[in-house]
């Protein structure tokens, strides 16, 4: 054994790795190097495997809140008793609380300003909000008193949307502190000034719909990785919150119906006897039961009582509490079962949303919690609710969505699927971040991106023809990835600093996860690792490093190249097929003592007019164990189901996909030894192809090659991204085939978000412009006789259909 050269080699290797990380001009660059110091150092709180460590800890905060809503004045008054548990190893001398309602205050808002343009380029809501911030108003939290449990006043200081409460004595590890806060605020017009909470006024009947969110002073997170998360709330980056138990009493007009986080403790007192009977019937119903009927809601809208009732809700182990209140609400309910546990699925909606929500909402809620449970952890809460409130926002066990019909009761296909998408998305947020409790203020993508990904899976499993727009198929992110680099930013960018928020926080991370599942890792490996992440970090506070490390750890796939490129970088995918050489062995016209090949170049164009295939839809359709609710439940069959099923006419059935490697097809170098007759016989019928590829975009990806043979058959060959590890810019590779190839295409199903498909084919294929594709779609299956075309039908005919 020669030790010194080995030690020298190890030293050089380490030096080379360091140089590669810092030398992007090397053939290697740093795309396949470990993330290393880009991730925080593992410790006893968070391990290198991505799991919580043996000394992991987190704080707890319990709330007992009483609130009264004055509908006429749009004013909310509350008092709360807070019990804060210090489970950290640190001594605390103060606590930080969030006053999110100060977002609307002219005095105490965070005052994070962006550039602006002339009013002609701004929305009415933007103008109203801008003016609101420039004049003295009475919006924002009014803190009237803060005391300890004995009633002794505590010192406090408000800094914009944050409040520091001074502790009378050091709060040591293992101790708890009880204190009380009295407060009130003017509820804002959400439709005028924006924001997640507030009210919507309906002038046609003089009634209100209140969405009470971020409505009470609540503790900031104190964590092992950053201490107090007290970054100001600007309206963009959402929330970081502490788990705890809630008891909340809400006094509202007696004819209001409330939906809230948790379980109602006094339905028998706040519902009428008939309504309570229907609530009991709903416990075992197979279809949604109207607990509060449309007729009852319409009656309440007219009578408008001045009396009040108090609704009481309890919720355990949740990070937040929200509620909606209105006399306009219809309420329906039915149970769903997750691993044998009953979950009451419920919806609240006004008459405008009745044609959509009555049919779809509660069933979509049930489908969502069951599907998310399959991909993550079993839904742990007893209730899941959807409230139609002309917005989209999520809280534990309750969310606020949109989806209203036209006045004649009809609705468009876009409205229907938009409503289903937002319900699935917002209900899905129960998992990310309400249970897997990431810091939204710092990393929007950790809840929006992960949730959008599972939303995509859930939509695909609701209806195999669900018209998904982004959040899954790789081709959906291409337009964003094509933008100039000065308009792009890494996914890891802080929430407040993102320019293109939708693509960056939602679409790109969701697309990336789907690419991992369908193209890079495969479903079995990905699903296990993703589920392990959810299991490890349920009811805890994960960071990006915990996700990245867990996915690597649970799959035995080193995905650092993907996290580095897709999450930390902005480079796009543009893999190019630069040249093809065809070699055929010919032993009949060469001297006996030599071996040779005859080389010929084939270079003629071949048209390719296919539309993109959604690989997830293909595989879900082929999986006979999957039952789509939209097919099985005929009550969901509306006009659009029967007409076009919402499907863009992409051709996904023109060929069979084979996704296996071909044994013995890779050839490296040829021996100089003479070939015997047996070797010549084996090689005589083979077709050799040398393909040269280049990485023009910068982001490495697997090579997915579709071979079309002259006999009309097709084959797809998949080569992992690691093929680029020794040269990230150029690659030459030889393939051996049994048949002669007619054409070659990279990424035929558009799985890698390649931004330039014009260099993906051989022979070169002229790509269609977006106008030509649009024109083809218009003249496709939708070109039906006018008498049967829904665009020509009246609202009455649509509804009847």
């Amino acid at each position: 054994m020669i030790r010194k050269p080995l030690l020298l080699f190890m030293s050089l290797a380490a030096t080379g790795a360091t140089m590669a990380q810092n030398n992007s001009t090397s053939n290697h660059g740093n795309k396949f190097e470990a993330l290393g110091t880009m991730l925080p150092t593992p410790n006893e709180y968070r391990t290198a495997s991505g799991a919580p460590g043996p000394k992991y800890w987190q704080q707890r905060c319990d709330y007992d809140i009483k609130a009264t809503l004055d509908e006429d004045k749009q004013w909310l008054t509350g008092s709360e008793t807070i019990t804060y548990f210090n489970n950290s190893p640190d001594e605390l001398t103060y606590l930080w609380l969030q006053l999110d309602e100060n977002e609307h205050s002219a005095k105490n808002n965070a005052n994070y300003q962006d550039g602006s343009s002339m009013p002609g380029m701004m929305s009415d809501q933007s103008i109203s909000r801008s003016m609101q911030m420039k004049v003295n108003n009475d919006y924002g939290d009014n803190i009237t008193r803060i005391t300890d449990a004995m009633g002794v006043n505590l010192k406090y200081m408000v800094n914009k949307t944050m409040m520091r409460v001074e502790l009378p004595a050091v709060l040591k590890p293992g101790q708890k502190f009880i204190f009380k806060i009295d407060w009130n605020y003017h509820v804002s017009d959400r439709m005028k000034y924006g924001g997640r909470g507030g009210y919507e006024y309906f002038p046609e009947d003089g009634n209100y719909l209140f969405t009470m969110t971020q409505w009470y002073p609540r503790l900031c997170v104190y964590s092992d990785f950053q201490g107090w998360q007290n970054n100001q709330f600007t309206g963009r980056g959402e929330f970081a919150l502490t788990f705890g138990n809630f008891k909340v009493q809400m006094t509202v007009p007696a004819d209001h119906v409330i939906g809230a986080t948790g379980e109602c403790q006094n339905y028998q007192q706040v519902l009428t006897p008939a309504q309570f009977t229907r609530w009991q019937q709903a416990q075992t119903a197979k279809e949604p039961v109207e607990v509060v009927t449309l007729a009852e809601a319409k009656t309440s809208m007219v009578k408008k009582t001045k009396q009040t009732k108090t609704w009481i809700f309890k919720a355990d182990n949740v990070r937040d509490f929200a509620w909606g209140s209105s006399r306009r609400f219809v309420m329906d309910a039915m149970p769903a079962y997750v691993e044998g546990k009953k979950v009451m699925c419920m919806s609240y909606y006004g008459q405008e949303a009745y044609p959509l929500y009555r049919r779809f909402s509660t069933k979509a809620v049930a489908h969502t919690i069951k599907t998310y449970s399959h991909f993550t952890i079993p839904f742990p809460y007893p209730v899941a609710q959807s409230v139609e409130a002309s917005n989209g926002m999520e809280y534990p066990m309750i969310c606020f969505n949109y989806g209203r019909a036209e006045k004649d009761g009809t609705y468009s296909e876009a409205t229907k699927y938009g409503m289903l998408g937002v319900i699935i998305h917002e209900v899905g947020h129960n998992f990310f971040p309400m249970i897997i409790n990431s810091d939204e203020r710092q990393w929007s993508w950790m809840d929006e991106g992960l949730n959008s990904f599972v939303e995509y899976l859930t939509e695909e499993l609701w209806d195999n023809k669900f018209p998904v727009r982004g959040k899954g198929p790789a081709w959906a992110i291409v337009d964003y990835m094509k933008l100039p680099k000065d308009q792009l930013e890494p996914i890891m960018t802080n929430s407040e600093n993102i320019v293109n928020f939708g693509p960056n926080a939602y679409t790109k991370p969701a697309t990336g996860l789907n690419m991992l599942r369908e193209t890079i890792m495969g479903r079995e490996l990905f699903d296990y690792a993703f589920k392990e992440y959810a299991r490890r970090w349920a009811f805890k506070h994960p960071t990006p490093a915990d996700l990245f490390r867990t996915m690597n750890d649970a799959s035995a796939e080193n995905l650092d190249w993907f996290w580095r490129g897709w999450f930390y970088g902005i480079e796009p995918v543009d893999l190019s097929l630069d040249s093809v050489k065809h070699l055929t062995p010919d032993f009949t016209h060469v001297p006996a003592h030599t071996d040779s090949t005859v080389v010929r170049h084939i270079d003629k164009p071949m048209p390719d007019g296919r539309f993109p295939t959604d690989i997830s839809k293909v595989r879900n359709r082929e999986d006979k164990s999957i039952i789509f609710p939209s097919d099985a439940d005929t009550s969901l069959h509306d006009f659009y189901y029967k007409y076009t099923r919402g499907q863009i006419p992409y051709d996904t059935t023109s060929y069979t996909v084979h996704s296996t490697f071909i044994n013995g097809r890779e050839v490296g170098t040829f021996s100089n030894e003479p070939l015997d007759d047996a070797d010549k016989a084996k090689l005589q019928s083979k077709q050799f192809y040398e393909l040269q590829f280049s990485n023009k975009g910068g982001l490495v990806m697997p090579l997915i090659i579709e071979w079309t043979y002259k006999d009309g058959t097709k084959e797809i060959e998949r080569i992992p991204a690691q093929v680029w590890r020794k040269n990230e810019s150029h690659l030459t590779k030889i393939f051996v085939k049994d048949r002669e190839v007619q054409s070659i295409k990279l990424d035929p199903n558009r799985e890698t978000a390649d931004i330039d498909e014009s260099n993906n084919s051989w022979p070169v294929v002229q790509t269609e412009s977006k106008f030509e594709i649009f024109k083809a779609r218009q003249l496709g299956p939708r070109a039906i006789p006018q008498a049967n075309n829904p665009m020509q039908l009246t609202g009455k005919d649509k509804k009847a259909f």
Side-chain angles (χ1 to χ4, degrees):
M1 183 178 290
I2 305 175
R3 298 183 179 274
K4 288 185 178 180
L6 176 61
L7 291 173
L8 177 61
F9 171 79
M10 292 174 64
S11 175
L12 289 172
T15 303
T18 302
M19 292 175 62
Q21 286 183 347
N22 298 298
N23 182 11
S24 59
T25 61
S26 161
N27 284 340
H28 291 253
N30 65 350
K31 299 184 191 304
F32 288 94
E33 299 301 327
L35 287 178
T37 55
M38 294 178 72
L39 300 181
T41 303
N43 53 48
E44 58 190 356
Y45 308 125
R46 296 167 190 270
T47 70
S49 71
K55 293 188 178 181
Y56 175 84
W57 58 267
Q58 63 188 37
Q59 308 291 63
R60 172 182 158 190
C61 188
D62 295 346
Y63 299 84
D64 189 338
I65 307 175
K66 296 178 180 178
T68 300
L69 174 64
D70 186 328
E71 182 178 38
D72 293 335
K73 295 180 180 179
Q74 299 93 51
W75 207 275
L76 187 69
T77 303
S79 63
E80 60 190 87
T81 299
I82 302 174
T83 304
Y84 187 77
F85 298 82
N86 183 16
N87 298 323
S88 79
D90 306 326
E91 295 184 345
L92 303 179
T93 58
Y94 51 79
L95 305 177
W96 279 103
L97 288 87
Q98 306 177 60
L99 303 180
D100 304 286
E101 270 302 314
N102 282 351
E103 172 193 10
H104 302 291
S105 169
K107 177 182 178 183
N108 288 321
N109 69 84
N111 197 32
Y112 282 24
Q113 298 185 22
D114 292 326
S116 57
S117 55
M118 293 297 290
M121 302 297 290
M122 300 169 65
S123 67
D124 292 342
Q125 189 179 88
S126 297
I127 296 172
S128 297
R129 184 176 176 81
S130 178
M131 295 302 296
Q132 179 197 29
M133 295 296 103
K134 295 182 183 303
V135 299
N136 188 21
N137 60 41
D138 61 353
Y139 292 108
D141 283 301
N142 302 304
I143 305 298
T144 58
R145 191 181 185 200
I146 303 181
T147 71
D148 65 13
M150 304 304 294
V152 178
N153 288 336
L154 297 176
K155 293 181 180 180
Y156 67 93
M157 184 274 297
V158 174
N159 176 22
K160 302 172 185 175
T161 63
M162 294 291 162
M163 178 171 68
R164 187 182 66 226
V165 175
E166 305 290 334
L167 297 174
V170 172
L171 186 63
K172 296 182 178 180
Q175 292 183 337
K176 67 180 180 181
F177 180 67
I178 301 174
F179 63 110
K180 300 180 179 181
I181 305 178
D182 295 335
W183 49 267
N184 64 76
Y185 69 87
H186 186 185
V187 182
S188 64
D189 183 342
R190 181 173 53 82
M191 308 307 289
K192 182 177 181 181
Y193 296 124
R196 292 161 176 78
Y199 69 83
E200 179 180 3
Y201 179 66
F202 295 83
E204 63 271 22
D205 54 54
N207 287 291
Y208 294 84
L209 189 164
F210 292 90
T211 51
M212 310 311 296
T213 65
Q214 295 87 243
W215 56 284
Y216 60 98
R218 52 194 185 159
L219 263 292
C220 296
V221 168
Y222 184 78
S223 68
D224 63 281
F225 63 89
Q226 68 176 356
W228 286 108
Q229 168 50 294
N230 53 12
N231 293 345
Q232 297 290 336
F233 178 53
T234 70
R236 165 62 72 78
E238 290 181 332
F239 312 108
L241 297 163
T242 302
F243 284 111
N245 300 330
F246 285 75
K247 179 183 178 183
V248 182
Q249 302 178 60
M250 296 149 285
T251 301
V252 299
D255 52 4
H256 273 217
V257 174
I258 286 182
T261 297
E263 292 182 289
C264 182
Q265 304 298 297
N266 63 334
Y267 272 142
Q268 195 161 7
Q269 286 73 47
V270 295
L271 297 177
T272 67
Q275 291 167 350
F276 185 70
T277 297
R278 293 193 289 266
W279 167 249
Q280 292 176 310
Q281 293 170 347
Q283 302 302 307
T284 56
K286 302 297 184 184
E287 293 286 324
V289 173
E290 281 189 36
V291 177
V292 178
T293 67
L294 179 60
E296 290 169 336
K298 288 182 175 180
T299 299
S300 297
M301 288 163 58
V302 174
K303 290 187 175 180
K304 299 179 186 175
T305 181
K306 293 297 182 180
Q307 296 179 330
T308 63
K309 285 183 180 178
T310 299
W311 297 60
I312 304 172
F313 280 77
K314 288 185 68 176
D316 291 336
N317 206 14
V318 293
R319 68 172 221 160
D320 200 2
F321 189 102
W323 51 291
S325 182
S326 180
R327 64 176 56 88
R328 305 180 88 256
F329 280 151
V330 175
M331 168 186 169
D332 71 38
M334 65 174 280
Y337 295 89
V338 176
E339 296 191 358
K341 177 185 175 183
K342 184 171 78 171
V343 179
M344 286 306 295
C345 300
M346 305 159 68
S347 295
Y348 302 79
Y349 43 92
Q351 60 183 2
E352 300 83 4
Y354 189 90
L356 281 157
Y357 271 65
R358 181 65 181 90
R359 178 181 292 205
F360 295 108
S361 178
T362 296
K363 290 186 177 182
V365 172
H367 172 71
T368 300
I369 62 169
K370 288 188 284 188
T371 306
Y372 272 70
S373 296
H374 172 75
F375 288 110
T376 58
I377 63 167
F379 186 71
Y381 295 130
V383 174
Q385 301 162 90
S386 165
V387 181
E388 199 291 314
S390 191
N391 66 346
M393 192 58 203
E394 69 279 356
Y395 302 89
M397 294 183 252
I398 190 169
C399 59
F400 302 96
N401 310 308
Y402 68 80
R404 296 176 182 175
E406 303 295 333
K407 290 184 178 180
D408 64 357
T410 63
Y411 51 85
S412 69
E413 183 184 34
T415 299
K416 169 191 170 179
Y417 282 108
M419 174 208 66
L420 286 170
V422 76
I423 290 174
I424 290 171
H425 181 88
E426 305 303 348
V427 173
H429 269 304
N430 274 288
F431 295 82
F432 306 98
M434 304 304 156
I435 297 170
I436 296 98
N437 188 12
S438 59
D439 180 352
E440 301 175 272
R441 189 69 49 91
Q442 179 65 33
W443 301 294
S444 290
W445 69 267
M446 282 200 76
D447 76 292
E448 297 297 355
L450 271 63
N451 184 53
S452 293
F453 163 64
V454 189
E455 171 202 347
Y456 166 71
L457 301 180
T458 304
E459 291 169 349
E460 294 281 281
L461 293 174
W462 169 268
D463 182 350
N464 191 235
K465 300 184 186 300
F466 200 103
V468 175
R469 299 291 184 266
K471 300 184 181 180
W475 47 264
I477 196 66
V478 166
D479 286 344
Y480 172 67
M481 300 295 286
K482 283 182 177 179
L483 292 175
K485 288 190 175 181
D486 61 1
Q487 296 182 37
L488 299 172
E489 53 229 326
I491 291 174
M492 295 296 291
T493 303
N494 176 268
S495 301
E496 309 298 343
N497 305 330
I498 300 172
V499 177
N500 291 295
F501 193 76
N504 184 280
Y506 293 71
T507 315
K508 188 179 179 185
T511 300
L513 292 173
N514 196 52
M515 290 164 65
L516 283 177
R517 183 174 190 255
E518 298 287 11
T519 302
I520 296 168
M521 299 173 70
R523 288 187 174 191
E524 183 179 4
L525 268 183
F526 178 91
D527 289 352
Y528 182 92
F530 191 72
K531 204 164 195 173
E532 178 66 7
Y533 166 71
R535 185 195 66 79
R536 286 178 174 183
W537 290 99
F539 299 104
K540 295 181 177 68
H541 300 288
T543 66
D546 301 317
L547 170 65
F548 299 156
R549 285 170 167 157
T550 295
M551 293 298 293
N552 289 8
D553 181 74
S555 67
E557 289 287 338
N558 186 345
L559 299 168
D560 281 6
W561 65 271
F562 184 80
W563 310 128
R564 179 189 294 276
W566 195 261
F567 284 80
Y568 287 89
I570 62 172
E571 290 180 322
V573 178
D574 182 9
L575 302 184
S576 172
L577 175 57
D578 295 331
S579 70
V580 177
K581 294 180 180 178
H582 181 197
L583 300 88
T584 56
D586 187 348
F587 303 107
T588 60
H589 297 96
V590 293
H593 64 278
T594 63
D595 296 321
S596 181
T597 58
V598 176
V599 180
R600 54 194 173 108
H601 295 262
I602 306 175
D603 190 18
K604 62 179 181 179
M606 177 181 177
D608 183 350
R610 287 181 306 182
F611 288 105
T613 297
D614 186 333
I615 194 68
S616 295
K617 280 184 167 60
V618 172
R619 289 174 182 165
N620 287 338
R621 186 171 61 245
E622 292 171 347
D623 186 343
K624 302 306 180 184
S625 68
I626 294 176
I627 298 175
F628 301 96
S630 62
D631 294 334
D633 187 345
T634 57
S635 71
L636 299 173
H637 294 185
D638 64 349
F639 165 79
Y640 298 103
Y641 180 95
K642 298 172 185 176
Y643 171 49
T644 61
R645 306 284 283 100
Q647 173 65 47
I648 296 174
Y650 288 166
D651 178 10
T652 62
T653 59
S654 62
Y655 60 90
T656 302
V657 176
H658 299 282
S659 303
T660 58
F661 289 104
I662 305 167
N663 294 330
R665 299 290 173 86
E666 182 175 348
V667 177
T669 59
F670 292 97
S671 170
N672 288 326
E673 295 296 322
L675 296 176
D676 59 27
D677 291 339
D679 291 332
K680 291 178 180 180
K682 289 178 182 178
L683 292 174
Q684 188 70 50
S685 62
K686 300 296 182 181
Q687 307 289 326
F688 290 78
Y689 291 88
E690 180 188 276
L691 275 56
Q692 292 189 348
F693 308 92
S694 61
N695 178 6
K696 297 182 180 296
L699 182 58
V700 294
M701 276 289 159
L703 283 173
I704 307 172
I705 307 171
E706 180 187 70
W707 305 88
T708 300
Y709 298 103
K710 288 195 171 181
D711 63 7
T713 60
K714 293 178 183 286
E715 170 186 48
I716 288 184
E717 190 164 355
R718 295 173 179 269
I719 303 173
Q722 284 77 7
V723 73
W724 297 97
R725 67 194 182 280
K726 295 180 179 178
N727 189 323
E728 298 166 3
S729 302
H730 297 90
L731 173 68
T732 300
K733 195 166 181 62
I734 296 174
F735 301 84
V736 183
K737 300 296 177 183
D738 294 324
R739 291 157 290 169
E740 190 168 350
V741 173
Q742 180 171 314
S743 64
I744 303 171
K745 183 175 178 63
L746 295 184
D747 194 13
N749 293 324
R750 304 179 75 187
E751 299 178 51
T752 65
D754 196 312
I755 65 169
D756 184 2
E757 296 181 63
S758 67
N759 55 27
N760 286 8
S761 300
W762 169 86
V764 176
V765 174
Q766 191 69 34
T767 56
E768 293 179 297
S769 69
K770 287 187 175 181
F771 175 78
E772 290 169 328
I773 294 174
F774 175 80
K775 183 178 178 182
R777 290 174 184 170
Q778 303 311 302
L779 298 177
R782 294 180 184 267
I784 59 178
Q786 182 169 336
N788 296 322
N789 191 325
M791 299 299 104
Q792 309 297 326
L793 300 179
T794 65
K796 180 180 178 182
D797 292 328
K798 285 187 189 179
K799 191 173 181 181
F801 193 97

